[in-house]
Amino acid sequence: GNPCDETYYGTEPFSEPEAFAVATTLRAYPNIKAYFNIHSYSQMFLTPWGWTDELPPDYTTHMALARQAVAALTAVYGTQYTYGPSSVTIYPTSGGSDDWAYGVLDIIHSYCMELRDTGRYGFLLPANQITPTGEETLAAIVASMKYIQNE
């Protein structure tokens, strides 16, 4: 791939400094309860798996948490998010850190959040939407942590 592409995936797993740093950090802490791969854009809360349309063993738990997280997010500004397994909610993917964290590191609560917007601005979200996006994202993460705490 072209290193200048918006969706450059590197030359091999963990070849890019950011991906390497994330992997190194996650491996250093064996008791992580949740992992969120957060980026833009599409307004989606994605659960495993991205690489296959086969449902993971923790599908019911993933969907219950996603439902609560999205409800909390929507309650802030009314922003609508879709949720579900990556492979069927957006498109099949491979090499996602959330799938890796779930499948390799056994972090049950491993998710991908595609933040605002749905394509009008894409990766160039207007400045006046940055703070609201952060506030509603925080609400989703807090709701997720409460769900995990009550398991």
Side-chain angles (χ1 to χ4, degrees), residues 99-140:
D99 274 2
W100 177 78
Y102 177 68
V104 175
L105 299 181
D106 294 321
I107 300 173
I108 302 301
H109 294 288
S110 183
Y111 306 98
C112 175
M113 291 183 71
E114 295 276 358
L115 305 183
R116 292 186 190 192
D117 70 348
T118 58
R120 178 174 182 195
Y121 300 106
F123 294 115
L124 300 173
L125 195 65
N128 68 352
Q129 290 191 35
I130 294 172
T131 298
T133 300
E135 292 168 345
E136 64 195 15
T137 301
L138 178 60

Side-chain angles (χ1 to χ4, degrees), residues 14-137:
F14 311 115
S15 64
E16 302 315 294
E18 300 83 358
F20 181 79
V22 169
T24 301
T25 301
L26 291 175
R27 286 181 179 131
Y29 297 94
N31 296 316
I32 293 174
K33 301 296 181 199
Y35 173 72
F36 293 87
N37 176 15
I38 301 175
H39 46 96
S40 60
Y41 60 92
S42 291
Q43 293 178 201
M44 295 182 176
F45 193 101
L46 303 170
T47 67
W49 295 112
W51 63 274
T52 178
D53 59 5
E54 183 177 313
L55 298 178
D58 300 292
Y59 171 77
T60 303
T61 299
H62 292 154
M63 292 303 287
L65 181 143
R67 204 171 8 263
Q68 286 189 18
V70 168
L73 183 150
T74 301
V76 179
Y77 291 106
T79 308
Q80 299 297 307
Y81 270 55
T82 304
Y83 61 91
S86 298
S87 62
V88 296
T89 305
I90 188 167
Y91 46 72
T93 61
S94 63
S97 62
D98 46 317
D99 274 2
W100 177 78
Y102 177 68
V104 175
L105 299 181
D106 294 321
I107 300 173
I108 302 301
H109 294 288
S110 183
Y111 306 98
C112 175
M113 291 183 71
E114 295 276 358
L115 305 183
R116 292 186 190 192
D117 70 348
T118 58
R120 178 174 182 195
Y121 300 106
F123 294 115
L124 300 173
L125 195 65
N128 68 352
Q129 290 191 35
I130 294 172
T131 298
T133 300
E135 292 168 345
E136 64 195 15
T137 301

